[in-house]
């Protein structure tokens, strides 16, 4: 009689034989078996992470808003914010912004004076964070944060219109364009001037009573024009001439995707040639969801994603279905070129108290896979991340996730979804210890190296195990300003690879070419990664100009 153990051994051997016949590697199986890992970093940072931006000193600037009362983080040394314009508390001794030290896993409070609620942001070429607009007395302010040991926010007057729910995009000439906002159908530039340009497209995409054109999705195309998506429509826009270059087809189904419908959008990785560009837009809420939710009816969110090659002369949307419906999701480009979709809910819409059924499991979208095989559901978080949640890529390949305050103020009890002041990190499968032997370690370029456009770059790295030279690529990622389900200025460029030469024991060099112009990569700080067999190195900061 055959024993159970013997039977299992025979079956196991049979399965492995089938796997080998099918050509599936152990590495693929390990990846399939590992669906990411969650780790709590901070139980309470005192401020809800409504906005996040990673800077080139590995600090993440986090802030929410002021006009709601006290946060749970005190300002240091008895300092208080005195603001007679505050709608809730004229004298406030708590912080509404902080600097999170990624490497030290600690944080310090920062002073923000005027209301940053639903503002926008970008990082200048020199590494300074520019935050624009907000609500109340902050709507026409801009704020500057310089990455240094003891720096704090500086605030200035200067915006020409109220920028509440606006979008920023870094331009090839180093300026920032600031587009839209509630009832602000215009755009302007930073550095500021007296120039305010009317933008009828935003008025045309404004749904009465719902809007659905807030935080428009804006991506810098490879021809220097801007792809702008609001509500359910997209255009290619020449901001120098204030003219629409082309109008794209409406996204199939006609449902809105931008806030408060709160889908998300990403420019897919750009190839070395820099001649093609694709945009992916996922999730959101059907038209009318905001009105319905305010009546207590929570409509199922959209399951669809639309993908369009915006450089094609006959560009058309190709639709795909996510594993689950999702509204208020965040889309984050990973070093390997895949897209993490995280946070959000499966019914309702963006806004206070108007969403239900949190989606706890992230999804990884693999753009180079065949249609039907692109989505992979990941291990779930234990923390619902509803309205006002965020996610940003860190240099080590983890994704920092925080926020969720779907209430007017902080509420920690008596509600379905308490305000969340935690920070956690999601580690994709590529960070598994089983890949240690094939994970690259960058030797050169050194951190903060300056790069020129179109130069030959020799990237040196170490791999302790066996190298597969043709499975090495180099990527470059710009860190994003993330708020309200949209990551502004997010960009990933493939620089090449596949030509590694051994230069010493376990040490190799691959030669790539940096982006040829600031249209492809606006001047500033990027994270450079070496990817080997799909496993990324820890990135190194580089500066291109």
């Amino acid at each position: 009689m055959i024993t159970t153990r013997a039977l299992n051994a025979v079956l196991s051997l049979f399965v492995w034989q089938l796997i080998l016949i099918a050509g599936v590697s152990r590495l693929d199986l390990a990846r399939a078996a590992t669906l990411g890992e969650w780790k709590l970093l901070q139980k309470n940072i005192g401020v809800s992470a409504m906005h996040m931006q990673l800077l080139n000193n590995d600090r993440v600037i986090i802030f929410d808003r002021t006009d709601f009362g006290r946060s749970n983080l005190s300002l240091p040394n008895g300092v208080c914010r005195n603001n007679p314009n505050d709608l809730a508390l004229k004298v406030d001794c708590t912080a509404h912004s902080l600097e999170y030290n990624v490497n030290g896993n600690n944080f310090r409070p920062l002073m923000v004076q005027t209301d940053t609620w639903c503002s926008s942001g970008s990082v200048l070429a020199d590494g300074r964070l520019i935050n624009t607009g907000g609500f109340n007395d902050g709507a026409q302010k801009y704020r500057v944060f310089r990455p240094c040991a003891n720096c704090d926010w500086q605030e200035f007057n200067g915006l020409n219109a109220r920028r509440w729910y606006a979008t920023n995009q870094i331009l090839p000439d180093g300026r920032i364009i600031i587009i839209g906002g509630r009832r602000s159908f215009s755009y302007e530039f930073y550095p500021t001037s007296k120039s305010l340009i009317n933008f009828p497209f935003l008025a045309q995409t404004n749904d009465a009573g719902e809007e659905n054109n807030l935080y428009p999705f804006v991506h810098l195309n490879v021809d220097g024009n801007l792809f702008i998506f609001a509500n359910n429509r997209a255009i290619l826009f020449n901001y120098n001439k204030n003219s629409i270059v082309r109008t794209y087809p409406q996204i199939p189904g006609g449902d809105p995707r931008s806030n408060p419908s709160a889908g998300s959008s990403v420019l897919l990785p750009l190839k070395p040639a820099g001649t093609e560009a694709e945009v992916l837009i996922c999730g959101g809420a059907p038209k009318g969801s905001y009105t319905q939710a305010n009546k207590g009816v929570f409509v199922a969110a959209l399951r669809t994603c639309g993908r369009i090659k915006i450089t094609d002369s006959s560009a058309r949307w190709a639709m795909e279905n996510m594993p689950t419906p999702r509204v208020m999701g965040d889309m984050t480009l990973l070093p390997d070129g895949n897209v993490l979709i995280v946070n959000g809910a499966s019914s309702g819409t963006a806004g206070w108290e108007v969403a239900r059924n949190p989606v706890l499991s992230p999804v990884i979208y693999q753009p180079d896979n065949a249609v039907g095989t692109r989505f992979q559901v990941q291990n779930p978080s234990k923390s619902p991340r509803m309205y006002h949640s965020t996610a940003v890529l860190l240099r080590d390949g983890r994704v920092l996730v925080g926020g969720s305050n779907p209430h007017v103020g902080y509420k920690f009890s008596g509600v379905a979804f308490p305000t969340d002041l935690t920070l956690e990190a999601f580690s994709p499968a590529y960070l598994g210890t089983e890949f240690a032997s094939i994970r690259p370690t960058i030797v050169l370029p050194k951190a903060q190296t300056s790069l020129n456009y179109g130069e030959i770059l020799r990237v040196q790295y170490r791999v302790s195990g066996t190298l597969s030279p043709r499975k090495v690529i180099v990527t470059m990622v710009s860190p994003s300003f993330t708020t309200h389900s949209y990551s502004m200025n997010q960009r990933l460029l493939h620089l090449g690879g596949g030509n590694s030469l051994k230069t010493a024991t376990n040490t190799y060099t691959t030669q790539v070419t940096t982006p040829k112009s600031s249209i492809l990569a606006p001047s500033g700080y990027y994270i450079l990664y070496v990817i080997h067999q799909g496993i990324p190195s820890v990135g190194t900061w580089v500066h291109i100009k």
Side-chain angles (χ1 to χ4, degrees):
M1 179 180 294
I2 187 168
T3 65
T4 300
R5 178 176 295 179
L7 180 60
N8 287 340
V10 171
L11 288 174
S12 178
L13 179 62
F14 178 66
V15 168
W16 273 108
Q17 286 175 334
L18 288 177
I19 289 168
L20 291 172
I21 291 171
V24 180
S25 70
R26 290 177 183 263
L27 183 61
D28 291 331
L29 286 170
R31 286 184 176 136
T34 306
L35 298 173
E37 179 182 5
W38 288 92
K39 183 178 180 180
L40 180 66
L41 300 176
Q42 290 287 342
K43 292 182 179 179
N44 186 346
I45 60 171
V47 174
S48 181
M50 186 188 296
H51 313 78
M52 289 204 292
Q53 172 74 60
L54 174 68
L55 300 180
N56 68 293
N57 59 355
D58 290 325
R59 306 305 204 262
V60 179
I61 305 304
I62 298 172
F63 53 97
D64 59 356
R65 54 180 285 227
T66 60
D67 284 324
F68 69 98
R70 295 176 180 86
S71 76
N72 281 30
L73 178 64
S74 296
L75 287 164
N77 306 318
V79 173
C80 296
R81 183 177 64 94
N82 294 274
N83 187 346
N85 297 313
D86 194 287
L87 299 178
L89 196 62
K90 309 301 182 187
V91 179
D92 186 357
C93 302
T94 63
H96 299 280
S97 179
L98 62 95
E99 179 190 67
Y100 174 70
N101 182 337
V102 176
N103 300 322
N105 190 27
N106 52 48
F107 55 94
R108 66 181 180 98
L110 302 173
M111 166 71 86
V112 63
Q113 185 69 18
T114 58
D115 197 2
T116 53
W117 182 23
C118 304
S119 54
S120 50
S122 304
V123 175
L124 296 176
D126 62 6
R128 289 177 297 157
L129 170 60
I130 303 297
N131 172 236
T132 48
F135 183 65
N136 190 23
D137 62 347
Q140 288 182 252
K141 299 279 189 179
Y142 68 91
R143 305 162 193 89
V144 180
F145 186 90
R146 184 183 300 277
C148 71
N150 298 304
C151 284
D152 210 331
W153 286 104
Q154 296 177 295
E155 302 198 27
F156 304 91
N157 296 313
L159 300 184
N160 295 298
R162 299 177 63 82
R163 300 298 175 190
W164 188 32
Y165 296 91
T167 293
N168 289 14
Q169 173 62 51
I170 304 168
L171 300 175
D173 61 9
R175 291 182 299 164
I176 295 165
I177 188 170
I178 309 162
I179 301 175
R182 294 196 74 175
R183 295 177 287 278
S184 291
F185 307 135
S186 61
Y187 63 90
E188 59 185 289
F189 299 94
Y190 177 89
T192 58
S193 68
K194 299 296 183 182
S195 176
L196 181 67
I197 303 101
N198 188 42
F199 193 30
F201 176 70
L202 290 179
Q204 296 160 9
T205 53
N206 183 43
D207 287 339
E210 288 200 347
E211 297 175 287
N212 286 321
N213 65 345
L214 306 178
Y215 283 123
F217 305 142
V218 180
H219 303 292
L220 176 62
N221 192 17
V222 295
D223 64 0
N225 294 311
L226 298 177
F227 174 88
I228 303 177
F229 183 101
N231 199 317
N232 55 16
R233 294 171 52 191
I235 59 172
L236 192 64
F237 186 67
N238 184 325
Y239 58 88
N240 286 314
K241 296 182 179 180
N242 189 29
S243 64
I244 295 174
V245 176
R246 64 184 295 192
T247 299
Y248 293 97
Q250 184 184 92
I251 194 166
D255 285 313
R257 304 290 177 146
S258 38
N259 206 274
S261 181
S264 192
S265 176
V266 68
L267 179 71
L268 291 175
L270 299 175
K271 303 301 182 184
T275 57
E276 297 182 341
E278 287 187 272
V279 169
L280 179 71
I281 296 175
C282 288
K287 189 171 184 177
S289 293
Y290 186 80
T291 302
Q292 289 292 97
N294 279 287
K295 296 176 181 178
V297 178
F298 303 101
V299 178
L302 298 171
R303 182 190 296 265
T304 54
C305 293
R307 181 169 167 173
I308 186 169
K309 186 174 289 188
I310 64 175
T311 46
D312 273 6
S313 57
S314 57
R316 293 288 183 271
W317 292 96
M319 303 305 291
E320 303 175 69
N321 285 326
M322 295 184 289
T324 56
R326 193 182 300 255
V327 61
M328 299 182 295
D330 286 287
M331 296 173 70
T332 304
L333 286 168
L334 300 176
D336 59 3
N338 292 331
V339 182
L340 178 72
I341 309 173
V342 66
N343 300 334
S346 62
S347 60
T349 185
W352 286 325
E353 320 283 354
V354 288
R356 297 292 186 272
N357 305 313
V359 182
L360 299 177
S361 295
V363 170
I364 287 182
Y365 178 84
Q366 302 164 94
D368 292 335
N369 280 17
V371 175
T373 67
R374 289 173 175 164
F375 294 99
Q376 184 186 57
V377 179
Q378 305 294 291
N379 286 324
S381 167
K382 296 178 181 179
S383 301
R385 300 286 181 183
M386 305 292 276
Y387 189 46
H388 291 153
S389 301
T390 45
V392 294
L393 176 68
L394 301 178
R395 186 168 56 87
D396 58 16
R398 294 177 299 161
V399 175
L400 184 69
V401 179
S404 189
N405 183 29
H407 317 290
V408 174
Y410 288 0
K411 290 186 179 181
F412 303 104
S413 61
V415 289
F417 305 108
T419 300
D420 196 311
L421 303 183
T422 65
L423 276 184
E424 58 186 333
F426 178 72
S427 296
Y430 57 55
L431 291 176
T433 56
E434 64 269 33
F435 305 124
S437 66
I438 61 171
R439 189 183 316 283
T441 300
I442 295 176
V443 178
L444 294 173
K446 296 291 186 183
Q448 310 293 329
T449 292
S450 291
L451 305 177
N452 297 313
Y453 289 105
E455 74 168 288
I456 300 299
L457 178 64
R458 291 174 176 83
V459 181
Q460 189 178 90
Y461 59 94
R462 290 192 296 268
V463 173
S464 62
T466 302
L467 182 77
S468 298
R470 294 186 179 180
K471 296 182 179 180
V472 173
I473 61 171
V474 178
T475 62
M476 205 169 83
V477 182
S478 61
S480 61
F481 180 91
T482 301
T483 188
H484 288 78
S485 306
Y486 180 51
S487 293
M488 303 175 196
N489 306 300
Q490 188 172 211
R491 205 170 187 84
L492 186 149
L493 301 106
H494 282 279
L495 303 187
N499 57 2
S500 294
L501 296 175
K502 189 170 185 178
T503 54
T505 303
N506 296 329
T507 303
Y508 307 87
T509 298
T510 188
Q511 182 172 292
V512 299
T513 303
T514 62
K516 62 184 179 181
S517 75
S518 59
I519 293 176
L520 294 179
S523 180
Y525 286 91
Y526 291 75
I527 309 173
L528 186 105
Y529 292 95
V530 175
I531 319 293
H532 176 226
Q533 297 189 59
I535 307 302
S537 65
V538 172
T540 187
W541 286 104
V542 294
H543 185 262
I544 191 165
K545 59 182 180 179

